[in-house]
Amino acid sequence: MRIINKEAIINAVEKLCIDTNCILNEDILNSFDSFMEKEESPIALGILNDLKKNAEAAKKRMMPICQDTGMAVVFIEIGQEVYVEGSITDAVNEGVRRGYINGCLRKSVVDDPIIKRVNTKDNTPAIIHYNIVAGDKLKITVAPKGFGSENMSKIHMLKPSDGRKGVIDAVINTIEQAGPNPCPPMVVGIGLGGNFEYCAYLAKKALLRPIGKNSEKPYLKEIEEEVLERANNLGIGPQGLGGRTTILWAAAEDYPTHIAGMPVAVNISCHVTRHGETIL
Ligand code: SF4
């Protein structure tokens, strides 16, 4: 049994909250460049250029890329041979608390969500997904998620007879209805199968895949490619002002499902799709 000190978890989560909010991952920055080579609209080109400059300035000054520094979504993969002294959940939330306070990141979480909506003042609690795996390591992934894009996400409980076309149409309709609201260009996570809550988890997990990396499953890769092409022919464009750069990437994850259903979740994200990981 390997013992991991809870302070190590707190420090790792704190750093990941700050870094992911201030430093845009290289894959997204590179995708701006490749879309700028193909983009025909001068307005769209200007916006993509501004997004690049914004990301560069944020990194240089260690300031947030966007004012919406998100709700902290944390994926924990814990090896069966790991023992953490104290509560892992408490350690993760303490890391989020320190990250958002020490990093001067906007605190956006409100308790009592219908009536009082009181700000918790430290961006806790985080949304934490646990996965128990083999080994003696602890992998922490932090993915702060803004709600301009989260609000545009949808779950479609399709019928098996809707087939492949029904799945792709549901994804494209979700992107089309999102329009300018999620600050396009978007990144689209697709969860296929499982059940109601699990397909949403899969869609969120799909957003962690690097841009440019297709699924290793041929049928999912084909869906990803078709969504990318159809979405970029919608004409929504950067910030909804037209152009061919509506989505930067679509990634799909699947899981077996029930004979009577075909759940499809579409988690819309934006050009500030943030995630970072560390292994303890
Ligand atoms: S959708 Fe993305 S870019 Fe727009 S406000 Fe939210 S986090 Fe920021």
Side-chain angles (χ1 to χ4, degrees):
M1 193 59 78
R2 180 170 163 247
I3 297 173
I4 295 183
N5 188 298
K6 72 173 185 182
E7 275 302 317
I9 298 173
I10 295 170
N11 292 339
V13 172
E14 176 183 3
K15 180 166 169 36
L16 285 168
C17 287
I18 295 171
D19 287 354
T20 53
N21 266 299
C22 300
I23 305 169
L24 197 57
N25 286 343
E26 284 293 318
D27 60 332
I28 297 216
L29 280 169
N30 292 339
S31 76
F32 289 157
D33 288 332
S34 62
F35 274 97
M36 284 169 82
E37 283 169 18
K38 294 177 266 181
E39 185 53 77
E40 295 151 6
S41 154
I43 294 174
L45 270 170
I47 294 169
L48 289 171
N49 200 34
D50 286 347
L51 295 180
K52 255 185 85 171
K53 284 199 280 186
N54 176 66
E56 283 159 9
K59 182 178 178 182
K60 196 169 163 197
R61 297 175 197 182
M62 281 307 280
M63 290 175 71
I65 308 154
C66 177
Q67 44 76 36
D68 184 352
T69 51
M71 192 161 187
V73 180
V74 182
F75 295 82
I76 300 282
E77 267 184 27
I78 181 161
Q80 288 176 152
E81 292 156 44
V82 168
Y83 174 72
V84 177
E85 288 170 326
S87 156
I88 307 178
T89 301
D90 288 351
V92 168
N93 279 317
E94 182 58 25
V96 169
R97 183 174 294 115
R98 291 188 196 173
Y100 276 74
I101 290 173
N102 297 336
C104 297
L105 307 174
R106 193 182 85 185
K107 291 84 182 164
S108 308
V109 175
V110 290
D111 197 4
D112 195 343
I114 296 178
I115 308 292
K116 294 184 185 159
R117 295 184 68 83
V118 183
N119 196 303
T120 62
K121 296 197 166 62
D122 57 12
N123 224 50
T124 66
I127 308 278
I128 310 173
H129 301 289
Y130 289 101
N131 194 10
I132 299 168
V133 297
D136 65 353
K137 301 275 191 294
L138 180 72
K139 180 173 167 190
I140 304 170
T141 304
V142 174
K145 185 68 169 67
F147 264 50
S149 54
E150 194 75 350
N151 285 341
M152 297 294 111
S153 303
K154 284 206 172 115
I155 290 179
H156 306 266
M157 299 304 287
L158 299 184
K159 299 187 290 297
S161 57
D162 289 322
R164 182 183 185 279
K165 182 177 182 308
V167 169
I168 295 178
D169 285 350
V171 177
I172 294 297
N173 289 343
T174 305
I175 295 168
E176 194 165 21
Q177 282 171 25
N181 295 312
C183 307
M186 311 171 210
V187 177
V188 181
I190 304 163
L192 299 173
N195 63 358
F196 183 75
E197 82 275 9
Y198 202 72
C199 70
Y201 164 76
L202 291 173
K204 181 74 74 195
K205 205 171 147 216
L207 292 175
L208 303 179
R209 179 124 47 85
I211 287 187
K213 187 167 189 279
N214 281 115
S215 171
E216 285 170 10
K217 295 185 181 178
Y219 96 99
L220 289 182
K221 179 174 183 277
E222 282 177 18
I223 288 175
E224 290 166 352
E225 288 171 346
E226 189 169 334
V227 167
L228 184 66
E229 189 186 340
R230 279 182 58 182
N232 283 330
N233 284 331
L234 290 172
I236 296 169
Q239 301 301 301
L241 294 173
R244 300 189 68 80
T245 317
T246 295
I247 72 168
L248 298 173
W249 195 242
E253 297 284 332
D254 72 348
Y255 196 77
T257 190
H258 189 279
I259 49 171
M262 192 161 63
V264 180
V266 187
N267 197 188
I268 301 282
S269 192
C270 61
H271 65 273
V272 192
T273 295
R274 297 158 280 207
H275 54 90
E277 65 184 46
T278 194
I279 295 175
L280 300 176

